[in-house]
């Protein structure tokens, strides 16, 4: 074999190895799933997962959820997967509305409560994780209402059905 033929063989082997590596990495990334509040989220879809939170409010107030310091409005259909609730909460409602109501008793426009839960308050438990699968429609502000704690904030996971 001359050097030219040897160079072709090495080039072919190198390109073949790159193609195999690409498919191995891609298939492996596709098969990885993450458990978020007992929902298995495919690895590639985690880019559509957002962490929402509420302002720290006093009891019997409504708080519109936030994302990156802005009030969150659903510009794609999505699902609230779970909520971390402080241990001293006795009642919880989650829903959506057409307007913002942050830490106030201002009436929400067209509110729709999708989840209600009475809880046993416990000073021994810092947070309770509640599994939810709440669909939030397009152009709605998700909110949370609670009773029982003097000053509380909440954290929720929101999975967007399709990329933004």
């Amino acid at each position: 074999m001359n050097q030219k033929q040897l160079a072709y063989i090495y080039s072919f082997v190198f390109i073949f190895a790159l193609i195999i590596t690409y498919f191995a990495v891609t298939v492996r990334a596709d098969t990885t799933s993450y458990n978020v509040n007992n929902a298995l989220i495919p690895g590639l879809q985690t880019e559509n997962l957002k962490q929402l939170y509420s302002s720290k409010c006093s009891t019997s107030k409504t708080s519109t959820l936030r994302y990156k310091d802005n009030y969150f409005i659903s510009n794609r259909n999505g699902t609230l997967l779970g909520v971390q609730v402080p241990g001293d909460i006795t009642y919880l409602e989650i829903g959506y509305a057409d307007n913002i109501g942050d830490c106030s008793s201002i009436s929400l426009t067209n509110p729709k409560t999708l989840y209600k839960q009475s809880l046993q308050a416990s000073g021994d438990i810092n947070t309770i994780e509640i599994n939810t699968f709440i669909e939030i429609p397009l152009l709605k502000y998700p909110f949370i209402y609670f009773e029982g704690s003097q000053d509380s904030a909440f954290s929720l996971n929101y999975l967007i059905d399709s990329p933004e």
Side-chain angles (χ1 to χ4, degrees):
M1 267 192 213
N2 63 26
Q3 283 186 331
K4 194 172 190 177
Q5 289 173 330
L6 203 54
Y8 283 133
I9 291 171
Y10 285 138
S11 296
F12 175 77
V13 169
F14 180 71
I15 290 170
F16 184 73
L18 284 176
I19 291 170
I20 296 299
T21 303
Y22 170 78
F23 283 114
V25 169
T26 302
V27 168
R28 179 69 186 132
D30 289 347
T31 60
T32 302
S33 294
Y34 300 96
N35 188 337
V36 179
N37 294 89
N38 290 329
L40 288 177
I41 309 300
L44 293 178
Q45 198 174 7
T46 56
E47 66 189 31
N48 299 337
L49 190 64
K50 296 183 183 291
Q51 185 78 31
L52 305 182
Y53 63 94
S54 72
S55 297
K56 195 169 187 176
C57 298
S58 59
T59 190
S60 301
K61 302 288 184 191
T62 300
S63 179
T64 300
L65 298 180
R66 294 175 170 265
Y67 177 71
K68 292 186 178 177
D69 293 331
N70 296 315
Y71 292 109
F72 180 78
I73 186 168
S74 59
N75 49 8
R76 295 277 194 267
N77 289 337
T79 305
L80 288 171
L81 294 178
V83 58
Q84 292 178 351
V85 179
D88 54 354
I89 299 297
T90 58
Y91 181 74
L92 176 72
E93 288 183 11
I94 303 171
Y96 61 83
D98 290 338
N99 67 329
I100 297 167
D102 201 30
C103 292
S104 67
S105 52
I106 296 172
S107 295
L108 296 171
T109 306
N110 299 322
K112 178 148 181 147
T113 300
L114 300 174
Y115 182 85
K116 293 180 182 181
Q117 178 75 42
S118 293
L119 301 164
Q120 180 68 40
S122 172
D124 299 333
I125 301 173
N126 290 337
T127 59
I128 302 165
E129 213 165 277
I130 298 175
N131 297 321
T132 60
F133 295 93
I134 301 170
E135 298 294 322
I136 304 296
L138 218 51
L139 302 176
K140 299 293 182 180
Y141 291 97
F143 70 83
I144 194 160
Y145 169 85
F146 68 95
E147 295 174 0
S149 176
Q150 291 306 310
D151 250 348
S152 288
F154 299 84
S155 174
L156 294 99
N157 295 301
Y158 184 76
L159 181 64
I160 297 168
D161 290 343
S162 60
E164 289 184 351

